[in-house]
Amino acid sequence: MLDIRLFRENPDQVKERLATRGMDGSAVDEVLALDGKRRETVSRTEALKATRNQISKEIPQRAKAGESIDELKEQSRQIGEEIATLDGVLRDIDEELRLQLLSLPNLPHGDAPIGEDESGNKLVRSWGEPIKHPFAAKAHWDLGDALGFLDLPRGAKVSGSGFYVLKGIGARLERALISWLLDVNTTKNGYTECSVPFVVSPDSLTGTGNLPKFEDQLYKVPLDNLYLIPTAEVPLTNLWAGEILDSADLPIAVCAHTPCFRREAGAAGRENRGISRVHQFHKVELVHLTTPEESAATHEKLVGHACGLLEELGVPYRVVELCTGDLGFGATKCYDLEIWAPGMETWLEVSSCSNFGDFQARRANIRYRPDGKGKPQFVHTLNGSGLALPRLMISLLENNQREDGSIAIPKVLQDRVGASEIRA
RNA sequence: GGAGGCGUGGCUGAGUGGUUGAAAGCACCCGCCUUGAAAGCGGGCGUACCCGAGAGGGUACCGGGGGUUCGAAUCCCUCCGCCUCCGCCA
């Protein structure tokens, strides 16, 4: 959520920066109009309430003095009716204003590259060379089928298209990766591992920015008014919702492995064969809460952690900074890590490392007290995958396939998997 | 799921209809005292919003929402959370 003060003090700047995301300025004007109406109404009701409070104070005094209080009571009652009417109006305005503000994306950071869509993204750096096999590389679905570790048809039978089943060494590889990722992130990168709920409240989703705008991307449990998490970012970030942290508590760095549930509405069919875009997948997520001063440096550190994981696994990658038009809803600045899948012949996004500034903190009301005293301030939140399983597995499988149809397992995983290769 | 209890400021904990935003203690901050520290003494110390250039003024908030009343932390309803007992269950 954006600070309403920005709109009042510098509406043109807000418009300009939203324009770099491809938005027109009408939303800004609407917010300003509502805000004006709100303040006017608040002033009126508060004046009435002050009068009523005054009268209520007089009543016992007059009663003690033996004077009549009927007139005052009637007066107060009438003011009460006026207040009730105005309060109703105010509630409507507040709700509308809140919805407007919650529906506006974050302002891109000043040094995010300007651009309309992904073609405007900037290659920051790359590590390793994309693998080119001297033979006809198979896509992971063919590898999985031939070697029997991936069963897409049965996933579809059980739950519908977009769900997959791993069997035998496939399942074991997934589990090994999850535990390896958690181990590296906790022991080497300094994150505290958390085990969190996979089902969350609407408030939590509003806090991270998934609601109210992206409800159609979420699986809902209507009976209990809960949603399945699209990422561990939601429970992890909301762990501190509504709290005022001590500055000594910061920075906070946590990670969690969770399944992620995404409806991926509008993505059915087309280019989504295999497991590159599915409704349920496993992911290890990294989340930081920090001060505004530290957030930029923390962002770089976060990207470094995600990159380090790929390097240890020997997966070539490139880092792309998203341009203003491609930036996610709540992000001010974002780096995507992409890995090459030689079978699919495409780059896959395995990690999206975003700095949200105080956007989420404002929504979730997460504050801290600088130096342990003074006014509470909003923290900055950041998160990134470390890493997303299916795409990582795609790249490992397709990169490490051999001409004879077998697949090598990276050294760092061999003990956990209990094998050095996958073979029919 | 059933019955009962509870939910007050950073923490502990008073307060059952009228200057109670809320006693007291702890924690924290400033000052005095002290060679220094502790203790002691004095003072300060919630959040949000509105008006105001500022000084300052106002409004709201005692788990959330609604109601009764001239007036609610205090009474009623409802939801949520926690605790105890019972039931059910991996």
Side-chain angles (χ1 to χ4, degrees):
Chain A
M1 191 159 58
L2 298 173
D3 188 348
I4 186 77
R5 271 170 279 218
L6 281 178
F7 292 75
R8 293 181 195 150
E9 287 160 16
N10 216 332
D12 292 336
Q13 199 197 341
V14 177
K15 282 185 192 176
E16 254 171 58
R17 302 197 34 211
L18 286 178
T20 65
R21 278 184 180 270
M23 297 187 61
D24 69 26
S26 60
V28 177
D29 294 328
E30 277 173 54
V31 166
L32 278 172
L34 279 168
D35 182 49
K37 241 168 53 181
R38 191 186 90 88
R39 287 200 278 175
E40 190 196 314
T41 313
V42 165
S43 291
R44 284 170 61 198
T45 51
E46 289 192 350
L48 286 172
K49 284 176 183 171
T51 320
R52 183 179 61 178
N53 287 347
Q54 204 52 46
I55 293 172
S56 287
K57 268 184 206 168
E58 272 179 51
I59 286 176
Q61 291 169 6
R62 292 243 198 145
K64 257 181 222 161
E67 297 172 40
S68 162
I69 54 171
D70 291 350
E71 200 179 310
L72 284 180
K73 278 167 85 165
E74 175 57 17
Q75 212 181 329
S76 177
R77 202 190 51 73
Q78 278 178 17
I79 293 174
E81 279 174 19
E82 275 185 72
I83 291 172
T85 309
L86 278 177
D87 272 348
V89 173
L90 189 58
R91 200 173 42 229
D92 291 346
I93 296 173
D94 272 340
E95 211 169 295
E96 175 68 21
L97 183 60
R98 197 181 106 87
L99 192 65
Q100 288 273 351
L101 284 174
L102 287 176
S103 301
L104 283 173
N106 203 354
L107 301 179
H109 191 275
D111 47 62
I114 310 280
E116 280 181 27
D117 52 39
E118 63 176 12
S119 65
N121 293 347
K122 195 174 95 188
L123 178 68
V124 176
R125 64 195 177 86
S126 54
W127 183 86
E129 279 296 310
I131 294 199
K132 287 200 191 87
H133 292 296
F135 52 90
K138 285 185 186 165
H140 64 281
W141 53 83
D142 288 332
L143 292 166
D145 202 32
L147 297 171
F149 62 77
L150 171 65
D151 193 336
L152 289 161
R154 286 203 172 92
K157 177 169 72 179
V158 171
S159 302
S161 96
F163 292 90
Y164 65 96
V165 174
L166 291 170
K167 290 189 296 190
I169 198 162
R172 183 143 184 184
L173 175 62
E174 184 180 66
R175 176 159 58 88
L177 273 167
I178 291 166
S179 92
W180 179 80
L181 288 167
L182 284 171
D183 282 349
V184 176
N185 282 319
T186 52
T187 62
K188 193 170 161 189
N189 296 338
Y191 293 85
T192 302
E193 181 178 348
C194 300
S195 175
V196 294
F198 305 158
V199 183
V200 293
S201 69
D203 280 351
S204 292
L205 286 156
T206 305
T208 36
N210 306 83
L211 287 179
K213 261 200 105 172
F214 306 104
E215 174 155 37
D216 62 348
Q217 297 298 334
L218 300 166
Y219 285 102
K220 186 173 187 180
V221 186
L223 197 56
D224 297 297
N225 197 23
L226 293 168
Y227 295 81
L228 305 193
I229 56 171
T231 157
E233 164 196 353
V234 180
L236 283 177
T237 307
N238 280 289
L239 250 23
W240 293 277
E243 297 191 25
I244 300 175
L245 300 165
D246 204 87
S247 56
D249 300 333
L250 297 175
I252 287 171
V254 286
C255 68
H257 150 68
T258 69
C260 302
F261 303 92
R262 301 187 180 180
R263 290 191 63 238
E264 302 291 357
R270 303 191 318 164
E271 286 295 307
N272 297 314
R273 209 170 155 194
I275 58 170
S276 66
R277 196 165 183 187
V278 286
H279 291 310
Q280 179 189 322
F281 61 95
H282 291 278
K283 178 159 66 66
V284 172
E285 182 74 359
L286 312 173
V287 168
H288 289 265
L289 268 62
T290 186
T291 61
E293 294 74 31
E294 292 294 318
S295 87
T298 304
H299 195 196
E300 300 303 320
K301 209 163 77 179
L302 168 63
V303 178
H305 292 153
C307 290
L309 297 166
L310 290 172
E311 287 169 25
E312 285 196 53
L313 290 168
V315 178
Y317 64 86
R318 63 184 191 188
V319 180
V320 169
E321 180 172 5
L322 299 195
C323 73
T324 52
D326 203 27
L327 219 45
F329 181 73
T332 58
K333 190 175 163 76
C334 177
Y335 297 106
D336 275 1
L337 269 58
E338 299 181 339
I339 54 183
W340 179 250
M344 296 176 75
E345 296 183 301
T346 184
W347 289 95
L348 296 171
E349 181 191 321
V350 266
S351 180
S352 199
C353 300
S354 304
N355 189 343
F356 292 82
D358 64 11
F359 187 82
Q360 292 182 322
R362 218 175 219 105
R363 291 171 158 250
N365 198 22
I366 307 172
R367 294 173 294 173
Y368 76 105
R369 223 179 273 279
D371 309 319
K373 53 186 257 184
K375 289 272 165 217
Q377 301 202 349
F378 291 111
V379 302
H380 277 202
T381 61
L382 303 96
N383 66 62
S385 333
L387 302 152
L389 268 289
R391 291 179 182 175
L392 179 58
M393 285 184 58
I394 290 172
S395 186
L396 287 175
L397 296 166
E398 295 187 4
N399 277 335
N400 297 343
Q401 63 180 300
R402 304 185 184 115
E403 192 159 15
D404 68 1
S406 66
I407 302 169
I409 289 170
K411 263 239 148 41
V412 294
L413 298 176
Q414 288 180 2
D415 282 351
R416 291 172 201 259
V417 178
S420 59
E421 59 175 15
I422 306 176
R423 181 173 285 284

